[in-house]
Structures are given as structure tokens and as C-alpha cells.
Amino acid sequence: MSETPKTSAQVRESFIKFFESKNHTFVRSAPVVPQDDPTLMFTNAGMNQFKAIFLGDNARGLKRAVNSQKCIRVSGKHNDLDEVGRDTYHHTFFEMLGNWSFGDYYKEEAITWAWELLTEVWKLDKNRLFVTVFEDDDEAFEIWDRVSHLPKERIMRFNAKSNFWEMGDTGPCGPCTEIHYDRGDIATQRETFADPIKGVNGTNDRYIEIWNNVFMQYERISSGELIPLKAKNVDTGMGFERVCAILQGVRSNYDTDVFSPIIQKIAELSGVPYDQGSAGTPHRVIADHLRSVSFAIADGALPSNDGRGYVLRRILRRASRFARLLGQKEPFLCKLVQVLSDTMGDAFPEILARRDFVTEVIRSEEDRFIRTLDAGLDRFDKIVAELGTNKVVPGDKVFVLYDTYGFPPDLTRILAEEKGLTADEAGFEKCMEEQKTRARGAQKQGINTMGTEGWTVFSEGSTRFVGYEFSSCGTKVLRYREDKGILSIVLESTPFYAEMGGEVGEKGVLVSDGLEISVFDTIKVNDTVIHRGKVVVGTVEEASMGGLFFATVNDELRKDTRRNHSATHLLQAALREVLGTHVAQQGSHVAPEGLRFDFSHFSGMTAEQIAQVEDLVNAQVMATLPITTKVMKLEDAQATGAMALFGEKYENDVRVVSMGDFSKELCGGLHASNTGEIGMVKILAETSVSAGVRRIEAVTGRGALKLLRDSTAILSGLRDRLRCKDESLLERIDNSFENLKTLEKSLASVKLELATLAASDILKEAVNVNGISLYVKEMNIAEDKFKDLLDGIQAKLSKGSAVVLGNKTQDSGSIAVIVEKSVQDKGLKAGELVKLLAEIAGGKGGGRPDRAQAGTREPAKISAALAAAIGFIQEKISQ
């Protein structure tokens, strides 16, 4: 480590090796798609995977850890998506280098090692380094002063806004110390470093933060009070891309070897050279967003219309829009996945393993967006046409273009300016805020495990899972809380499987002396297993919860779940055999009542393929293959060919589940003891989930038996009603449908004849308006009869005629306009006229040039609207 690292790979390796030399354990990056934190959309910091340890739930016994964590941030300070790519150092995807102490070392070691790495190993210029500490943290100030020998004015004190880290309103928190690097002219350093805007912790890109060391020593409770933690922890985060820029001597993160291969490929494929100024914004946006989208997809996320999938789609579409600015009208990002995997595959092998799948998902999504973008331009033209004399595109329309068609407001503004218009950006922001409010309301609220407030704590520790061997056990409560009658309980040991890997959490009971609790769900939040339940017998008090409990899982439901889980393994192996080895699990839902299995494949399965898969799976069921589980080292397990679920975080020791020689997967779930216990697998449906992902729904065991009984009952009922044998059922049903169609046609013909007769009464008395025959009539009939009447009038309307009808009902009304072709040619359009009349009647409507209709909730105004029709027509025809 004597040589200063230059390449990004060397920087990453140097950081990890340095802390491994300080007895830190290297922990792999968690997926960017969190598995056990419902409140977190994406992994956004290195500490996310260690949340439970900060609470004392340290099953692995980690004392010191080091890693490089993949992170995605698309909201919050400095992370407005629409601004990424416009500066040199903010990103949606980034790596966070970090080292942690869990109740082990503290400020002295953390600060000493940080200074050693930066100045002795990486040999950063000490004259360019500044340190910030919390204003009351004299201990950190003194250590920095002694270790760094920096001038005291360069060890700067700041208030809580800048140098006190908090996860939220409550939970672990503490002072932090940050290290900043001056990228400017040393000659002007003295006059600028203390400036609140131009200096350290200001809003500038000269004094840039590269490393933050958080000292978690408090818990903040809801009253605002700070309570000292029993164990003090260190949580640090270094901006990988930023430090690479410094070590490589470049001003912009995008000029480092982290981004340059991608940017060079963008320039090569597009034919547009990269510019470090504003002209290079498309290259920077595409390079950044490619990383976010690719790693998110590799870790299990997919573009969709809600949640993280919606955010992912927005990022991808923003990149695709910037590709269009480079003249690319065909899928473009998908061509860059190869260079990304070449660049980052050594550090994160999942991007190599999933390269082809990621490429196809992006290609499909880009194809869809290109069609949407063209439709959006058409929609913009229609919005402009509807403005009339108005010169401002309304904020809600700007929002529709953004939300539905992926148009950021700056694109709409540019399009508007080209037509001499402006966009209501304030109105757009209001719509955006309303959407965020709705999203916050819909966001899953997790249980707060990051603190002790609200919990009654008997003892600290981790839950020991014994459910692989037992369905019941004796246990004690570590801690519990009650919220609106719902208990959340953490046990010392448990047979209950917590929801993970697509398998639902188990149900059952907890029983102690005089107290029975029905457990309706078992979940895992930040590695903490929580049993959710309601009291059936007795009262929850500290004394009653402190005794010995007997925990029992509902065994019948467990057996059903085990059958379904084992069936998903057989399904994956069968799908790979029938469709190809590109098939990989994309997600699953395993519950007692059935299973759902999502897999990568780019076209719908044929009926023959579904039958092949079903037959192959059931052949393994009937073969009663043994289902065995072996605990192995992760590398050893992968070497045997065991399949892993992408996006899942595995420990060093993993469970390998084998079903004869047919299937072998890494899996921590519950399974049958042999395939025969599954009974039967029946596929119910095969559908599309999103681009490149298909879904199979199926049932097994008792579920398959219930399906058979229900289907038999339906067949029996059809036989009785249609009075035929099974083999004649389809023919008899087809005949019934044909008879029904014939009757419907006859009925429609009769209705039209009756409507035509009624139309004759309407078309008796015409008013001549500038050479056209106008029929105006007000009526009071049922809406369905009104529609039939309009059909009759249109069928009977003579040349040179137009009809305006009003129909009143008790609480609403309709206005209809029908215009014959020769009258349309004179300039009178039904859709335009009905809009004008609807405004008078307090309603809305529109339609084709030949026929249009409007509705209103104010039927009393219909008479006035009809009276105005002649004037409107005279004005229109005279033109």
C-alpha cells in the first residue's frame, strides 16, 4: 500500500485492504433494492444493512466492518433528479466506501485511521484538507488537533444542521466529523475557506466533502431528549467517485475512469464528442443513469408505474430523452450495458452475470418510451391547440406531460418557447407536491426498530431461529411494544419463519401462564424478527410478558407453504429446461394458498410449453425425490452450480437446497422433505409482469385438490343446465353464444326501426339558418332511449341538415349535436358546437365533426343553451 492508488479499482481495493489491516471484516455490498426494510425505496447508505447491529441485534458477532456499498439516491438535498448531470459531482448511483465499529473502537481510532489513510497511504496534500466537527464536540476537536497538526482555524466547528447526524425524528444519532478537500487555488484559500457560501460547508464545488465519520452515541426520543446509548458506534461514509477524482487529478467525477469508458462509448456510438461544459450534459446524464438503472435491474427492480419501479422508469426515461438530444431515435442505453459490466464487473459480479437480462429490459423499456415520447409530442400539440388566445401552458398540463409521457418541465418550457408560449412552472410544482403527498401517504410504514422508545426491553440480543428443525419451542420475550391493540414481539428463540425471499411470514400462537397471543404475521425489519399478534386470552403487562412462553406455528399452513416453496424450485428448473438457461427467478410469493413465480423471459409461453413445464414438474413430484439441505460457504456453493437469486444478500455461510439431481438452489426458506409431499402442481396462469418478466401462478397439494373439486362442481353445474355430456359442453356453449348474437342483432335492428320512426317526429319542423335546415328540440326521456333516438336521427338525417337536442332528467341532462356532411363542409362541426353549448349549460363534452354529446349536472340550464344554438350557427356559417 506504499504506492498511491490511481485507478478506481486500486482506490477501492486500497480502502478495503487498509481497514482489513486494522482487523475489519470485509462485508459485501448489499443489493440496491432492500430486502427487509419496507420504508426504504433504495439502499442509500452503507449503514443500511447494519441497522439491526446498531440496536444490539448482532447475530454475526461483527465488531468491525469495511465495504464498498452500491447506493441510489434520487431525492433529498442535492439529489433533484432533474439536476443530475449538470454539475460534476452529484449522482443518482454512487459507491460509498465505509468502515464501521459496533461497540468497539470510537473517535480516537476512527480519526487517527482516517488521517493515516488520506495523508500517509493516499498522500493527499495536507494543505488542502479541512476538518469540520460538531460545535460542542470538544473531544473530536482535540483528537484532530493532536493527530493532524492542522492549524486550529482549519478544524472548524459547525452547528447541528451540518455536523450532527440523525436517521429521523427518533432513533440513534450523534455528532459527526467531516473531511473536506480544497480543489481551488491555494493562493485564495485563506480569504475563502471560512465564507458561508464560498467556503467549507458552503454551496460550492471548491471545498468538497469526501468523508463523513458519524459517532453514534445517543438515541433521540420523541420528546427531543438525547439518551446516551449503551454501546457507542462508528459509521463512516466516503464518496468513492469524489475521492477518485482527487486522486486522479481531475476536476470532475465524470473525467475519472469510473465514468470515462462509458462516456467515450456514448460519444463513439452517437457521433457527438464529449464536452466538459453544458454541451456534455447529455453524456453525463446517460452515464450516470445507466449505472442506476442497470444495477437496480440486476438487483431485482423492474420499471413499473408505482413505487421504486416508477422511480426507475423516470430515471431510464430521462436518460432516453437525453439520448434523443444526441440524435438517437432508437434504443441507445441498452448498447452501453456491455461497457458498464466490463468496467464494474470485477467489483460487482452481479452486473456481469445479469448483463444480457439487464440489456433486454432496458431495450424493451426504451422501445416503449420512444413510442410514448412521440405520443407526448402529439399531446403537446393538442394542448397548444386547446389554449386558444391563452399564452400559458397550464401547470396541470405540464404535469401530465411529465407524469404520463416523461417530459421534464424544462423540455415543455423549451417546446412552449418555440411556439411563443410560456409554461406555468409554479402550477407544475404544486401538482408535483400533491403527488409527493399522495406517495408519502401510500408508502409502507415500517415498525421503528431503530431505538428503544415505545419498546419494553427485557434484554438485548438476537433471535435464534429453530424453525428448520421444530414447529414449536419454549422461549422468552426480549422486547415488545403495543400499538393500537397490535403487539410487536421480539423473541429469544422462535420457530416462526419471518417473511423473506418471497415466503410469507408464519402464523401461530404464543402461550404462557394466563396469556395467549395469536400471531397473525412474522416479519423481518432490519434483520430483527418481529412477531405481530393480538391477545386472545389474558392481559398484556410487563409481568405477564416477562415469563416463559411456548411458541407454536400453525403446522397445517406451514406444510402448505413448504409444498409451494419446493414447487417454485422445481418450476425454475423445468422452465430452464423447456425455455432455456436465460430463465432466472425475478421474484416470488409463496403462501399456504398458492404460489407466484416471476422469471426472466421475453415472450409469452405457448400452451404447449406450459404443458411441458407442468408435466416435467409433476414427473419430479411423482418420483418422490429427496429434498436435502446442506450448509456451505457461499463460494463453494456457487462452484457446485447452485443457483442464487439475484438481488438477494447472502451471508458467508449459505443453505443449499437440492431436489435429487433436478434442482439445486441457495435458499433459506422452508421446504418439504421430499418432492412427493408436494402432491401435485397445477399451473393456473402465465402472464406478463413487465418488459422481459413473465409470471406463473400455481397451486399444490390441498390447493390443487380444492381446484379440482371446484372445477368438477362447475362442470357438473354446466352439464345439468345444458343437459349434455362433458364432450358436448363446448359445442353447446358455442351454439348458445351464436343464438345470443343473432337475438342481439335482431333487437338492435328493431330498436333502430323504432328510433327512426321517433326521429320522424323530430325532423318535421326545421328552421332555416343561413341555408341549412336546423332542428332544435328539448325532451325528457331516459338516457338509453335518448341514445337510440340519436342513432335513428343520424340514419334518417337529410342533406343540408343539422340537429340540436336537449334531454333533461331529474339530476342531470345531455345536449347532442348531429351535423350532415355537406353542412360540415360549410364549417359547422358537431364537436365544436357542443362544447360551446355545454359551457352555457355548466357541463363538458365533445366528439366527432358529425356527432357529439355533452353532459351536465345542471339540467335547468339546457333551455338557455339550446336557445343560443341558432346564434352560434349563424356566426359560424356566415364566416
Side-chain angles (χ1 to χ4, degrees):
M1 292 189 295
S2 57
E3 277 192 37
T4 304
K6 288 295 183 184
T7 68
S8 56
Q10 289 170 349
V11 173
R12 188 188 295 111
E13 182 182 19
S14 173
F15 184 90
I16 293 168
K17 294 294 184 187
F18 176 82
F19 282 101
E20 283 182 330
S21 74
K22 308 295 184 186
N23 298 318
H24 288 61
T25 300
F26 173 68
V27 179
R28 294 178 184 84
S29 171
V32 292
V33 180
Q35 299 296 313
D36 61 354
D37 191 343
T39 66
L40 200 58
M41 187 169 285
F42 293 105
T43 298
N44 59 15
M47 63 83 62
N48 291 160
Q49 66 171 306
F50 301 120
K51 281 182 181 179
I53 298 180
F54 290 129
L55 290 171
D57 189 359
N58 192 352
R60 289 177 283 180
L62 279 176
K63 288 293 186 181
R64 303 178 180 186
V66 60
N67 91 338
S68 181
Q69 175 63 50
K70 301 173 296 184
C71 299
I72 291 179
R73 288 185 188 175
V74 286
S75 61
K77 184 181 178 183
H78 301 311
N79 286 95
D80 182 351
L81 178 60
D82 291 327
E83 294 303 316
V84 171
R86 301 185 191 280
D87 66 16
T88 62
Y89 56 94
H90 284 116
H91 308 289
T92 56
F93 176 92
F94 61 96
E95 283 183 62
M96 184 179 287
L97 302 173
N99 59 287
W100 289 268
S101 166
F102 307 113
D104 188 18
Y105 65 82
Y106 201 46
K107 294 180 184 178
E108 180 77 32
E109 294 88 344
I111 290 172
T112 301
W113 292 337
W115 190 250
E116 179 185 347
L117 177 63
L118 293 176
T119 61
E120 296 180 27
V121 179
W122 290 353
K123 298 180 173 58
L124 294 188
D125 184 354
K126 297 177 184 179
N127 294 319
R128 292 186 176 275
L129 293 174
F130 287 78
V131 171
T132 66
V133 298
F134 179 52
E135 57 191 355
D136 294 335
D137 195 349
D138 295 332
E139 181 185 5
F141 186 97
E142 185 277 324
I143 296 170
W144 274 116
D145 183 41
R146 172 165 41 84
V147 168
S148 71
H149 304 296
L150 285 172
K152 284 185 170 56
E153 64 267 21
R154 282 168 54 194
I155 307 173
M156 307 171 70
R157 295 179 186 262
F158 283 88
N159 60 21
K161 184 178 179 181
S162 297
N163 280 79
F164 194 93
W165 183 89
E166 303 196 54
M167 177 171 290
D169 295 334
T170 60
C173 57
C176 63
T177 179
E178 298 171 341
I179 303 163
H180 296 249
Y181 186 84
D182 178 8
R183 302 196 300 180
D185 183 357
I186 289 289
T188 61
Q189 185 183 89
R190 179 161 291 280
E191 63 196 61
T192 59
F193 80 86
D195 187 281
I197 303 297
K198 299 177 182 179
V200 175
N201 263 345
T203 52
N204 63 84
D205 62 356
R206 172 175 176 166
Y207 296 95
I208 191 164
E209 176 200 334
I210 57 173
W211 203 350
N212 186 12
N213 282 243
V214 178
F215 305 120
M216 290 193 200
Q217 60 190 73
Y218 302 112
E219 177 188 351
R220 189 180 293 281
I221 59 176
S222 56
S223 66
E225 182 183 355
L226 294 175
I227 300 173
L229 292 172
K230 294 178 182 177
K232 296 178 179 180
N233 306 302
V234 175
D235 163 27
T236 86
M238 174 187 285
F240 174 68
E241 293 80 5
R242 293 184 181 188
V243 81
C244 283
I246 292 168
L247 289 169
Q248 292 175 20
V250 295
R251 183 75 177 182
S252 166
N253 293 357
Y254 293 98
D255 293 335
T256 66
D257 67 346
V258 176
F259 288 96
S260 56
I262 303 171
I263 289 176
Q264 287 166 12
K265 193 67 175 179
I266 293 168
E268 175 193 326
L269 293 175
S270 68
V272 180
Y274 176 58
D275 182 279
Q276 291 181 325
S278 59
T281 297
H283 299 71
R284 292 190 291 272
V285 168
I286 294 167
D288 173 89
H289 291 7
L290 171 74
R291 289 167 20 115
S292 287
V293 168
S294 298
F295 276 103
I297 293 171
D299 281 349
L302 289 167
S304 66
N305 288 326
D306 53 38
R308 66 169 61 96
Y310 175 69
V311 174
L312 189 60
R313 176 165 283 167
R314 278 183 57 207
I315 296 172
L316 199 158
R317 289 185 169 188
R318 182 172 186 255
S320 185
R321 181 180 69 80
F322 274 94
R324 181 166 281 216
L325 295 180
L326 296 179
Q328 304 305 300
K329 295 185 178 179
E330 299 295 329
F332 183 72
L333 267 76
C334 57
K335 300 173 184 177
L336 303 169
V337 177
Q338 174 75 55
V339 68
L340 174 67
S341 63
D342 290 345
T343 304
M344 301 190 71
D346 287 342
F348 304 105
E350 61 273 18
I351 195 65
L352 272 177
R354 306 223 69 195
R355 181 187 62 209
D356 292 345
F357 175 70
V358 170
T359 300
E360 287 306 313
V361 171
I362 293 176
R363 187 196 312 280
S364 178
E365 187 68 18
E366 284 189 283
D367 261 331
R368 181 182 300 181
F369 177 58
I370 287 166
R371 294 193 297 270
T372 302
L373 193 62
D374 291 334
L377 291 170
D378 291 341
R379 182 75 179 97
F380 176 78
D381 289 339
K382 289 178 182 177
I383 290 170
V384 171
E386 292 168 359
L387 289 179
T389 58
N390 190 357
K391 295 293 183 181
V392 180
V393 180
D396 62 332
K397 303 295 185 186
V398 179
F399 178 77
V400 167
L401 288 169
Y402 170 80
D403 193 51
T404 305
Y405 301 98
F407 281 33
D410 57 344
L411 174 60
T412 303
R413 186 184 67 247
I414 291 168
L415 293 172
E417 288 171 354
E418 289 174 354
K419 295 182 179 291
L421 307 171
T422 59
D424 176 15
E425 296 188 28
F428 166 78
E429 291 298 336
K430 181 182 178 185
C431 291
M432 278 295 293
E433 190 53 44
E434 289 171 355
Q435 187 200 53
K436 289 176 182 176
T437 301
R438 290 192 297 271
R440 283 192 292 267
Q443 187 176 3
K444 266 188 173 180
Q445 295 300 311
I447 299 167
N448 176 23
T449 62
M450 294 301 293
T452 58
E453 188 176 14
W455 292 87
T456 299
V457 180
F458 293 112
S459 62
E460 300 290 349
S462 303
T463 301
R464 185 169 64 94
F465 177 63
V466 299
Y468 292 129
E469 298 85 17
F470 307 107
S471 59
S472 61
C473 73
T475 187
K476 298 194 75 173
V477 174
L478 294 177
R479 54 176 163 151
Y480 75 93
R481 64 183 295 159
E482 187 172 9
D483 300 287
K484 298 178 181 178
I486 304 296
L487 284 164
S488 298
I489 303 168
V490 179
L491 298 175
E492 188 176 71
S493 55
T494 182
F496 288 82
Y497 185 85
E499 182 176 2
M500 274 184 299
E503 184 174 333
V504 299
E506 292 195 292
K507 300 177 181 181
V509 292
L510 297 174
V511 179
S512 72
D513 187 19
L515 181 61
E516 181 179 335
I517 298 167
S518 172
V519 176
F520 61 81
D521 197 10
T522 310
I523 61 176
K524 199 171 189 181
V525 181
N526 303 325
D527 285 340
T528 302
V529 176
I530 298 174
H531 306 75
R532 305 273 280 160
K534 290 184 177 182
V535 174
V536 177
V537 176
T539 305
V540 171
E541 296 171 343
E542 192 167 337
S544 62
M545 293 295 286
L548 181 68
F549 278 84
F550 200 71
T552 305
V553 170
N554 184 318
D555 208 35
E556 285 302 308
L557 294 180
R558 168 174 277 194
K559 288 175 183 175
D560 290 334
T561 301
R562 287 159 67 121
R563 293 185 187 102
N564 286 323
H565 198 158
S566 296
T568 63
H569 287 224
L570 295 178
L571 268 172
Q572 174 156 235
L575 285 164
R576 287 171 65 84
E577 188 166 322
V578 172
L579 301 179
T581 55
H582 64 282
V583 169
Q585 181 176 340
Q586 293 302 307
S588 66
H589 179 75
V590 178
E593 59 273 12
L595 67 92
R596 191 174 68 224
F597 183 77
D598 297 345
F599 59 98
S600 52
H601 189 56
F602 285 87
S603 61
M605 294 175 66
T606 64
E608 183 182 3
Q609 288 172 330
I610 292 172
Q612 279 183 273
V613 168
E614 197 172 69
D615 288 346
L616 189 52
V617 167
N618 281 299
Q620 313 314 311
V621 171
M622 289 183 279
T624 61
L625 302 175
I627 299 177
T628 59
T629 302
K630 186 176 181 181
V631 178
M632 305 173 67
K633 294 295 181 186
L634 177 60
E635 292 79 6
D636 296 338
Q638 291 174 324
T640 68
M643 289 197 67
L645 176 61
F646 292 106
E648 190 73 45
K649 178 168 173 57
Y650 295 101
E651 303 295 343
N652 289 328
D653 292 325
V654 294
R655 293 171 62 84
V656 179
V657 178
S658 301
M659 300 182 186
D661 295 326
F662 188 73
S663 167
K664 183 185 287 186
E665 293 188 31
L666 306 187
C667 183
L670 303 176
H671 287 276
S673 58
N674 71 74
T675 58
E677 289 181 9
I678 297 171
M680 175 188 179
V681 178
K682 178 60 186 170
I683 295 175
L684 302 177
E686 190 273 345
T687 56
S688 171
V689 176
S690 62
V693 178
R694 308 294 299 178
R695 170 173 293 169
I696 279 179
E697 295 174 60
V699 288
T700 70
R702 292 197 303 170
L705 181 60
K706 182 178 183 301
L707 175 68
L708 180 62
R709 282 178 179 157
D710 291 346
S711 299
T712 302
I714 292 170
L715 280 172
S716 178
L718 286 171
R719 278 198 307 269
D720 292 344
R721 285 165 176 77
L722 297 174
R723 297 176 183 176
C724 64
K725 295 180 179 180
D726 287 357
E727 56 268 25
S728 303
L729 274 174
L730 291 178
E731 182 182 354
R732 188 66 61 89
I733 291 170
D734 286 342
N735 290 338
S736 297
F737 275 123
E738 286 301 319
N739 292 336
L740 181 61
K741 285 179 184 177
T742 302
L743 288 171
E744 286 176 342
K745 284 181 181 178
S746 299
L747 178 60
S749 179
V750 170
K751 286 171 72 176
L752 183 58
E753 287 180 20
L754 293 173
T756 304
L757 288 172
S760 300
D761 292 334
I762 301 291
L763 300 175
K764 282 181 179 177
E765 299 179 7
V767 177
N768 188 297
V769 180
N770 292 355
I772 71 167
S773 297
L774 176 66
Y775 302 90
V776 181
K777 189 170 181 65
E778 186 177 306
M779 50 207 349
N780 189 343
I781 61 176
E783 274 298 316
D784 58 337
K785 291 184 178 179
F786 185 59
K787 181 185 178 301
D788 291 341
L789 179 62
L790 296 178
D791 293 339
I793 290 173
Q794 192 164 22
K796 195 173 177 62
L797 192 64
S798 59
K799 187 175 181 179
S801 302
V803 179
V804 178
L805 296 181
N807 186 44
K808 294 180 179 179
T809 58
Q810 185 173 355
D811 299 316
S812 62
S814 299
I815 297 173
V817 178
I818 300 174
V819 180
E820 188 270 329
K821 180 69 170 62
S822 64
V823 180
Q824 295 173 43
D825 294 339
K826 291 182 179 181
L828 182 62
K829 304 289 192 282
E832 294 176 1
L833 179 56
V834 87
K835 279 185 181 178
L836 295 170
L837 301 180
E839 288 181 14
I840 297 173
K844 289 183 178 180
R848 304 187 309 266
D850 64 323
R851 178 169 165 175
Q853 194 166 341
T856 178
R857 293 290 181 185
E858 302 177 76
K861 293 183 178 181
I862 287 179
S863 300
L866 298 186
I870 293 176
F872 282 134
I873 294 171
Q874 285 175 330
E875 183 179 345
K876 191 71 177 176
I877 299 299
S878 66
Q879 294 174 355

